[in-house]
Amino acid sequence: MGICISKVSSEIHNADSIHGHQNAVVFTHSQTNHKHEASLSLYSREGAKCLNQDSAIIYQGFGSGDGVFGGVFDGHGPNGHVVSEFVRNRLPLLLLSQKESVDKVNRVDFNDEGVYESFRDKTIDSVTTTDLVDEDSRKWKEAITSSFKVLDKEIKLLQNFDFSCSGTTAVVTIRKGEDLIIANLGDSRAILGTRTENNEIKAVQLTTDLKPSIPSEADRIRSCNGRVLALKNEPHIERVWLPMEDAPGLAMSRSFGDFLLKDHGVISVPDVWDVLSNDEVASIVLEAKSEEEAARGVVEGAMGAWKRKFPSAKVDDCTALSPPWESAYPSFHHRRSTAPITSTTAMETVLSTLSTPTWNQTYQPRLRTSLSDASLCGVFDGHGPHGHVVSQQVRNRLPLLLLNQRIDRLKSVPPNFDMDLKIWNEAIESSFQKMDAELEILRKVDLSCSGTTAVVAITQGEDLIIANLGDSRAILGRIGDNNNSIESVQLSTDHKPSLTKEGDRIRSMNGRVVGLKREPESKRVWLPNEYMPGLAMSRAFGDFILKPYGVISVPDVTHRRLTPNDQFIVLATDGVWDVLSNDEVAKVAWEAKTEAAAAKAVVKAARAAWKRSTHSIKIDDCTAVCHFFHNKHLNAFV
């Protein structure tokens, strides 16, 4: 697989074969600054082992508008494809989460004496830009190190798969402005193509192939009682073996997975970088006429080199990722930029979002794969002592988890309208269940009485799919038949224990549904013999103390075929719906001066309603996302 990136376009330029894309994901945040967008291409070829275990990802808008994350993951062993896909889908947002945590712990602030907290011996005037860059690099290194450790533990906890002799490499690049950060695990490789004074391309190797033949790696393995030996028919390839067994014989010293050797060393399989030199790869990329030709050229060059250099060996899967900073191909500058959302009806789409502080989270990414093009937005309302942790975790993890579930199902199904909706339903239900299972194994945070709602909207062409869990809500704003006024259509059901079906399920599992004396109309869920925790909804992520008693994480999924009269959707937390009706919210959003201001107008109206309410003790958190299918105010968007 090959991926090439430059600054021009975020389109995927198709290769001749679907095999070029099936193991790769392109993820573009909706707020990506088009000025910094990178063009890219990808290509993949399986080796002689039937199953391609390579995975790759490009994430544009990573962490900020100009950030780009790229990663290549080479799986090995019986379940290597599972590990590489899991790492591909999980690592980017885990990195962002860890970086955010590191930033909070290590804030660069001035103290009362005018000295940077992070630079104890320097005053404001003496801190240089280099100091700040070095500090940010240190934070990234800390975040990357912790992310890799956490992810390896998560892989070990995955059920239904044996990863004792299966794993994956990982080579990752993070570009933030003019800074490039490289992280490598195993024997995949990253190189930089740079021009010399003679305008020739020169390859600079950015990573070290972590193999047991490296003295420091071998010393560590042997100190842990692992053995480093080569096979007689491969004397040039050192491998890692158990102390007393001639197994498994793995050819790298670091990787995700491979838990049989984690007490003794680590593993790998030869790949493209073993048979093409750095200069050969850089030359292929420079001489290619297009991004897709560059990616394909690297892979096909590697395949040919395999056959020449190792004629008796099985050709390995080939994966590459190549991000040139300036396009070498002038014609690329004239390609049309992709719209915020690709739609079969060419509808122009505008999103706006606003959240009041604390635990409400919103999500507005662009999800792109070679097999589908859709947009997703969501609102997540946390509750309980660690509700902010749950809502952030779900916001960060659910989109890629959902995308992965959909891709897995699309691989074996031909394009079909009815089947496509069925696949979406299955992917949503499966991803929600997996998300809840992942939350349950978080070790550092007690989520027994903490959780979050989730209301998610997916638009694909003229299809609108709503998934709801808890008491956040989605409505549709549409022009009435008289074409004079906007009317609302509720798209989701508030999952409250007062609903007969919900209450019956909870009671059938020995949970109790009772209202407090001061608010008897608001039913809550309690443990069988204790007045706790008093959850005000019947479905949620988290809240594991109530999961045995009828609180579930199964979403309601609904579908609507959009019509020309359908104008927008609003997703909002219960802080909005507790004080404003559906029609009021639709009217406020529709009458906003611009679509971009609609969400702010909704939240502002809700907060004003809370303040007017004589019985309210506090103002609840209010979060709204407004997704317009047509641009009503063309002058508001340049």
Side-chain angles (χ1 to χ4, degrees):
M1 183 183 299
I3 303 178
C4 296
I5 312 167
S6 65
K7 285 186 177 178
V8 183
S9 167
S10 61
E11 297 180 34
I12 299 177
H13 308 294
N14 291 324
D16 295 335
S17 169
I18 188 64
H19 298 295
H21 301 300
Q22 61 184 3
N23 290 9
V25 168
V26 180
F27 187 84
T28 305
H29 196 286
S30 65
Q31 295 179 349
T32 299
N33 187 337
H34 290 284
K35 181 180 179 181
H36 298 287
E37 276 195 352
S39 63
L40 58 96
S41 68
L42 53 86
Y43 192 73
S44 179
R45 282 282 299 274
E46 71 276 7
K49 300 172 294 184
C50 298
L51 178 64
N52 189 349
Q53 295 186 309
D54 290 352
S55 294
I57 185 170
I58 293 292
Y59 185 155
Q60 298 191 90
F62 180 74
S64 64
D66 65 345
V68 180
F69 173 97
V72 164
F73 313 98
D74 181 8
H76 49 259
N79 294 312
H81 58 294
V82 178
V83 188
S84 67
E85 288 186 5
F86 183 79
V87 173
R88 174 197 68 190
N89 293 346
R90 178 74 175 117
L91 182 59
L93 293 177
L94 181 59
L95 272 172
L96 286 179
S97 177
Q98 292 294 315
K99 180 59 164 57
E100 183 178 349
S101 298
V102 171
D103 285 339
K104 288 180 179 178
V105 174
N106 300 284
R107 291 182 60 192
V108 179
D109 286 330
F110 298 113
N111 61 22
D112 294 337
E113 299 175 355
V115 177
Y116 268 117
E117 292 292 344
S118 296
F119 308 103
R120 298 292 183 183
D121 58 340
K122 295 193 175 186
T123 62
I124 297 173
D125 296 333
S126 64
V127 174
T128 66
T129 302
T130 301
D131 290 327
L132 296 177
V133 170
D134 290 345
E135 176 67 9
D136 193 58
S137 296
R138 183 194 65 78
K139 291 179 181 179
W140 271 114
K141 183 177 180 180
E142 183 178 341
I144 290 169
T145 301
S146 61
S147 297
F148 276 49
K149 289 181 180 179
V150 170
L151 188 52
D152 204 43
K153 291 179 180 178
E154 291 184 2
I155 294 168
K156 192 172 185 178
L157 292 170
L158 289 176
Q159 299 178 353
N160 303 323
F161 291 99
D162 178 8
F163 298 126
S164 58
C165 296
S166 297
T168 187
T169 71
V171 60
V172 168
T173 65
I174 301 170
R175 186 189 173 201
K176 309 290 290 183
E178 299 303 317
D179 297 316
L180 179 65
I181 301 166
I182 305 290
N184 183 48
L185 193 70
D187 63 356
S188 296
R189 187 183 300 178
I191 70 166
L192 174 71
T194 184
R195 292 187 181 274
T196 66
E197 294 180 356
N198 297 326
N199 204 32
E200 296 176 349
I201 198 69
K202 178 183 178 181
V204 179
Q205 186 165 329
L206 300 175
T207 59
T208 299
D209 301 344
L210 299 169
K211 299 194 176 189
S213 57
I214 297 175
S216 60
E217 298 292 296
D219 289 345
R220 185 189 68 248
I221 293 166
R222 293 189 179 103
S223 70
C224 296
N225 297 321
R227 293 184 299 144
V228 178
L229 298 169
L231 295 172
K232 289 183 179 180
N233 61 345
E234 295 178 331
H236 57 289
I237 301 176
E238 300 287 343
R239 294 178 180 272
V240 184
W241 309 84
L242 290 170
M244 306 300 293
E245 296 181 54
D246 288 331
L250 301 170
M252 74 171 61
S253 54
R254 304 186 193 184
S255 73
F256 286 117
D258 303 301
F259 297 109
L260 187 65
L261 287 172
K262 278 296 158 70
D263 291 333
H264 308 289
V266 211
I267 97 170
S268 193
V269 176
D271 92 1
V272 57
W273 305 110
D274 285 345
V275 291
L276 286 181
S277 71
N278 297 344
D279 290 338
E280 286 176 310
V281 172
S283 177
I284 289 172
V285 172
L286 182 67
E287 294 174 3
K289 295 179 180 179
S290 65
E291 301 110 315
E292 61 267 31
E293 184 176 319
R296 189 187 307 176
V298 171
V299 172
E300 291 182 347
M303 304 291 281
W306 263 103
K307 294 174 183 177
R308 291 193 307 272
K309 298 184 180 182
F310 307 117
S312 62
K314 289 184 177 180
V315 178
D316 192 22
D317 305 330
C318 298
T319 301
L321 186 154
S322 168
W325 310 139
E326 298 293 341
S327 176
Y329 321 112
S331 62
F332 296 173
H333 291 278
H334 303 291
R335 288 201 172 130
R336 177 180 59 84
S337 298
T338 54
I341 292 177
T342 300
S343 171
T344 56
T345 58
M347 292 189 297
E348 189 162 11
T349 308
V350 178
L351 290 133
S352 65
T353 178
L354 185 73
S355 174
T356 53
T358 67
W359 299 346
N360 294 345
Q361 303 293 333
T362 63
Y363 204 90
Q364 294 179 200
R366 173 92 178 278
L367 299 184
R368 296 185 55 198
T369 74
S370 59
L371 300 175
S372 66
D373 206 341
S375 70
L376 178 149
C377 55
V379 165
F380 312 95
D381 184 4
H383 53 261
H386 301 294
H388 59 295
V389 175
V390 190
S391 63
Q392 288 177 4
Q393 188 78 3
V394 174
R395 177 197 65 187
N396 293 346
R397 174 70 174 129
L398 186 61
L400 284 179
L401 187 60
L402 174 59
L403 183 61
N404 187 44
Q405 291 295 309
R406 177 168 163 76
I407 290 173
D408 286 345
R409 286 162 174 77
L410 281 172
K411 286 179 179 179
S412 58
V413 177
N416 177 277
F417 171 74
D418 294 329
M419 183 59 70
D420 200 42
L421 292 177
K422 180 181 179 182
I423 288 172
W424 270 120
N425 287 357
E426 292 177 354
I428 290 169
E429 291 181 5
S430 176
S431 60
F432 272 57
Q433 293 302 300
K434 288 180 180 293
M435 183 73 253
D436 207 45
E438 289 184 11
L439 291 169
E440 193 169 14
I441 64 175
L442 288 177
R443 300 301 185 190
K444 295 183 179 180
V445 184
D446 179 9
L447 303 183
S448 57
C449 297
S450 297
T452 186
T453 70
V455 58
V456 171
I458 299 167
T459 56
Q460 184 177 27
E462 295 176 348
D463 296 304
L464 173 64
I465 301 167
I466 302 292
N468 184 52
L469 189 73
D471 60 1
S472 294
R473 186 184 302 171
I475 68 165
L476 173 77
R478 67 185 307 274
I479 296 176
D481 293 335
N482 58 9
N483 290 325
N484 291 326
S485 61
I486 201 76
E487 60 186 28
S488 66
V489 178
Q490 186 164 330
L491 300 174
S492 62
T493 300
D494 301 346
H495 291 137
K496 302 274 193 179
S498 56
L499 294 178
T500 302
K501 181 179 71 171
E502 301 293 296
D504 289 347
R505 183 188 66 248
I506 293 167
R507 294 186 184 96
S508 70
M509 300 181 71
N510 297 320
R512 292 185 299 142
V513 177
V514 181
L516 295 171
K517 289 183 179 180
R518 66 174 182 270
E519 45 182 22
E521 71 285 352
S522 299
K523 303 298 182 183
R524 295 178 178 270
V525 184
W526 310 86
L527 291 172
N529 298 304
E530 298 182 61
Y531 277 102
M532 66 169 295
L535 185 64
M537 65 199 71
S538 55
R539 303 189 192 189
F541 286 120
D543 299 299
F544 294 108
I545 198 172
L546 289 173
K547 285 292 161 73
Y549 303 105
V551 173
I552 62 177
S553 57
V554 179
D556 280 339
V557 182
T558 60
H559 166 256
R560 180 184 178 92
R561 190 76 168 172
L562 295 173
T563 69
N565 281 6
D566 297 335
Q567 298 298 310
F568 61 89
I569 55 173
V570 179
L571 313 180
T573 58
D574 65 334
V576 172
W577 308 114
D578 284 348
V579 291
L580 296 177
S581 68
N582 294 347
D583 287 339
E584 287 174 326
V585 169
K587 186 173 184 291
V588 169
W590 184 246
E591 293 178 352
K593 293 182 178 179
T594 67
E595 286 89 340
K600 183 176 182 179
V602 169
V603 170
K604 184 177 180 180
R607 290 177 63 81
W610 273 101
K611 292 176 182 178
R612 291 194 303 269
S613 178
T614 56
H615 66 274
S616 64
I617 301 174
K618 63 179 181 65
I619 297 177
D620 197 7
D621 303 330
C622 300
T623 298
V625 170
C626 300
H627 181 167
F628 285 80
F629 306 125
H630 310 281
N631 194 335
K632 181 165 63 87
H633 302 286
L634 293 177
N635 62 339
F637 299 91
V638 181

